[in-house]
Amino acid sequence: MKKPLVGALFAVLLLGAGIAPATAATSHGAAPAARTAVKAEKAVRAKAVNFAGTVALSNCSGSVVRTPASQPGDPALVLSNGHCLETGFPAPGAVVFNRSSSRSFTLLNASGSGVGTVRASKIAYGTMTDTDISVYQLTSTYAQIESRYGIKALELSTTHPVAGTAITVASGYWKRLYSCNVDGFVYRLKEGNWTWKDSVRYTSACQTIGGTSGSPVIDNATGKVVAVNNTGNEDGQRCTDNNPCEVDANGQVTVRQGINYAQETYGIAACIGTGNVFDLNRAGCALPKP
């Protein structure tokens, strides 16, 4: 896992809190006018991906999210990782469901400045089985957050991400953006005692670090959340903590040192009903049950 952090001042001094700018490659064979048009289009897309709606946890990153069916008066939701829960790492097979929480989150605007604090009423859902997610329900509605802070929630995509897609990992903890592409998908990603299904593998440009856990992975073209950042192989070890390995359908193991991963989020919306209430018995909901 991209380890939850406790006291990261030294790392802040080393890394700073700067934003990693998005870069756009163009074809050398294209005409000048075409290259200019492509650059302009990509510049617009890059500007659309910022920190608005992201949050900083005490040890991780996250984002205020909504489903396509969420209403302004619904209690807002915050998405992060299961391994970022204040209750500790859920054991393999465990699901945290509708557990009271008063955790607070620093809400960020587009430039990465904190504009206020939002607070949870409960952990609506959390697990590290098959995936690595936590979803908190807040005491504030989407309408209240937008009225008070001018911040809109990020929308969860309901379709499977696509290989090659340009993405941005937006870390509220570090106030840093990582830009790369979806390199592919991992049948099973195994790390220590945990196994995750159909994980997203980044291209090498996304060198995420501890504290980026829980960051939304945003499709640059749509602005929607397609995954949540959660881990990377740090030391080249095989299937150990902080060194996940890829396992294919035939059991073949591959280790990719320095490569980072995320968990898809397209299936979350199917588990959320009227009023933003989790209902794990809804048609199409495939999240693990308690």
Side-chain angles (χ1 to χ4, degrees), residues 19 157 238:
I19 298 173
S157 173
R238 178 184 168 112

Side-chain angles (χ1 to χ4, degrees), residues 163-186:
T165 298
I167 54 173
T168 299
V169 182
S171 171
Y173 185 94
W174 287 113
K175 301 178 178 63
R176 185 171 178 180
L177 302 177
Y178 300 82
S179 297
C180 60
N181 294 79
V182 174
D183 185 52
F185 305 97
V186 183

Side-chain angles (χ1 to χ4, degrees), residues 45-94:
R45 290 181 178 180
K47 288 179 181 178
V49 179
N50 53 48
F51 296 103
T54 64
V55 300
L57 285 67
S58 58
N59 57 353
C60 287
S61 301
S63 57
V64 180
V65 296
R66 63 182 298 273
T67 75
S70 294
Q71 299 299 307
D74 290 342
L77 303 175
V78 162
L79 171 68
S80 189
N81 283 149
H83 78 260
C84 293
L85 287 167
E86 69 270 32
T87 53
F89 290 11

